[in-house]
Amino acid sequence: MKFLLLSTLFVILISTSFVYAEEYIIDIPLGAYNPELNTQAEVWYDPPQLFVTVGDTITWHNSDKEGHTVTSGEGSGRFGWMSDNFGTANGIFDSGRFMPGESWSYKFEESGTFSYYCTIHPWMEGILIVEKQIPDYPHDATGKKLEFPLLQYTPDQNIEVNLSWDPQVIKTHEKIQFVYQFYDPQTNSNLAEMKYNFIIFQNGKEIFRDEGLSQIGGDYRNYVFSESGSIIVRIEGIHSPSIFAEESVTVSGNIQNKEQRSVDFTTAVYDNPEKTSHEIYHTKPAQRLTTYYELMILIILVPGVMFIIAFLWLKKKPKIKDERQGAVKI
């Protein structure tokens, strides 16, 4: 059942588009047929370089007086055709010949850098840089905008789990901090001392797993993603180890235990346009707040005990001296 749910979520992630597509026009100006540009044309494709995003459609319009093509590959350069270099097509896209006044369109479904040229006039060259669309807001598997903290209940409705992460838009090679808390939905009180497993799936594979024990104020895990793709953050096996023997309950005729107490959150990781690698990063376990409290108690308690001992010793010392003096007088 878990495998079916996991597979379904990834199908939704893969099939859902988060991009709002746009359309662009590239003009083939009058005079582009001339390799020396001894015409009113300043470039062969206008603009000769264009940045777009995945899902966008480009339309080339022929404003010249001769037929042209838009063919992916490498052209000959301005005068390469004079040395029998007529360009090399790579087969990604090819308009075929379209005449003056006609247009041809192509929708880019993948990111990358695409050079193109005209097979009839191989000196005519252009380039397209197609980038992945990175939203400026966090979203779930369906592309729905998320508001932090996210809220999920375990199947038995006994535990509420809140989750958020920072930065809110996840990119590769950046440290992401996942912060989460456990609550009793009946009393809305924080649940400390909750044991669990923190798991991350990416592109259908488990890439991270760690055991945890929540403290006052919740818990967190850090992670750095090396690859882009859809992810599922799962917190499973949530239970209180001190009362686990009493935790199994019956819900709708089924026995619910700690193994069935899990919640899933979904989102996506995007390629980082600014970073292509990162240093080896050690995923640190969450800092335990109870440790700080214990240290604070020791810091306060130890000096306090020493002060009391010193006070009692000083209070008792003069009394002993008086007794000795009295004994001498006798």
Side-chain angles (χ1 to χ4, degrees):
M1 183 65 181
K2 285 185 178 180
F3 177 77
L4 180 59
L5 176 60
L6 185 63
S7 300
T8 302
L9 286 171
F10 277 110
V11 168
I12 294 173
L13 277 166
I14 293 171
S15 62
T16 302
S17 174
F18 308 117
V19 177
Y20 295 94
E22 296 186 17
E23 295 186 359
Y24 296 87
I25 295 177
I26 295 177
D27 187 54
I28 302 175
L30 178 63
Y33 64 88
N34 189 331
E36 297 180 1
L37 287 178
N38 291 329
T39 62
Q40 60 268 47
E42 297 181 355
V43 293
W44 293 296
Y45 295 99
D46 188 14
Q49 177 176 292
L50 184 64
F51 288 82
V52 299
T53 55
V54 172
D56 289 344
T57 298
I58 312 299
T59 297
W60 285 263
H61 179 73
N62 187 355
S63 298
D64 201 5
K65 65 179 183 180
E66 294 189 11
H68 293 287
T69 75
V70 175
T71 306
S72 61
E74 297 292 333
S76 65
R78 189 167 182 177
F79 299 108
W81 60 276
M82 300 176 66
S83 302
D84 295 328
N85 178 5
F86 295 100
T88 304
N90 59 23
I92 298 176
F93 56 84
D94 187 2
S95 66
R97 186 182 182 187
F98 58 105
M99 302 306 292
E102 296 180 342
S103 299
W104 181 78
S105 300
Y106 186 80
K107 182 177 181 180
F108 287 85
E109 302 287 2
E110 296 183 2
S111 61
T113 300
F114 303 91
S115 58
Y116 63 92
Y117 69 106
C118 174
T119 57
I120 304 170
H121 310 92
W123 55 84
M124 294 174 55
E125 297 175 309
I127 189 168
L128 292 168
I129 295 91
V130 184
E131 300 175 329
K132 287 186 178 179
Q133 177 73 26
I134 301 179
D136 59 359
Y137 58 87
H139 57 77
D140 65 7
T142 65
K144 179 182 177 181
K145 185 176 181 180
L146 298 175
E147 297 291 339
F148 290 147
L150 310 179
L151 173 63
Q152 291 278 5
Y153 292 92
T154 55
D156 58 13
Q157 301 294 308
N158 286 340
I159 299 175
E160 172 190 310
V161 183
N162 290 353
L163 173 71
S164 61
W165 55 81
D166 184 63
Q168 294 186 357
V169 177
I170 302 178
K171 302 175 185 177
T172 56
H173 310 300
E174 287 186 350
K175 184 183 76 172
I176 308 300
Q177 185 171 85
F178 295 92
V179 181
Y180 41 94
Q181 294 179 310
F182 304 99
Y183 288 91
D184 183 340
Q186 301 300 321
T187 62
N188 199 32
S189 58
N190 184 270
L191 296 173
E193 302 289 334
M194 300 301 291
K195 198 169 183 179
Y196 63 90
N197 290 320
F198 182 87
I199 310 167
I200 300 176
F201 300 92
Q202 185 175 37
N203 299 325
K205 297 180 181 180
E206 181 180 311
I207 61 172
F208 179 76
R209 175 184 289 264
D210 190 27
E211 292 184 355
L213 182 66
S214 73
Q215 303 299 311
I216 299 172
D219 216 342
Y220 71 81
R221 288 294 181 274
N222 296 326
Y223 194 77
V224 179
F225 293 89
S226 298
E227 298 180 1
S228 60
S230 55
I231 66 170
I232 292 177
V233 177
R234 173 174 294 168
I235 302 176
E236 71 173 18
I238 307 168
H239 69 285
S240 174
S242 61
I243 58 173
F244 171 61
E246 303 174 5
E247 275 198 317
S248 295
V249 295
T250 302
V251 178
S252 300
N254 298 318
I255 299 297
Q256 300 286 321
N257 56 43
K258 67 164 187 169
E259 299 303 329
Q260 294 169 294
R261 284 184 174 169
S262 66
V263 292
D264 286 349
F265 303 89
T266 66
T267 186
V269 179
Y270 293 90
D271 285 322
N272 195 325
E274 300 177 356
K275 297 181 180 179
T276 57
S277 63
H278 61 268
E279 297 179 359
I280 297 176
Y281 181 81
H282 175 67
T283 303
K284 299 178 181 178
Q287 296 178 0
R288 306 301 183 190
L289 294 180
T290 52
T291 302
Y292 293 133
Y293 296 145
E294 292 167 359
L295 289 174
M296 290 175 64
I297 291 173
L298 287 175
I299 291 171
I300 297 172
L301 185 61
V302 172
V305 171
M306 293 178 66
F307 173 79
I308 293 173
I309 293 174
F311 176 78
L312 293 175
W313 182 79
L314 291 173
K315 185 177 180 181
K316 197 172 183 181
K317 187 175 181 180
K319 186 176 181 181
I320 294 173
K321 184 176 180 181
D322 291 342
E323 288 177 354
R324 287 180 180 177
Q325 289 177 349
V328 173
K329 290 178 180 180
I330 291 172

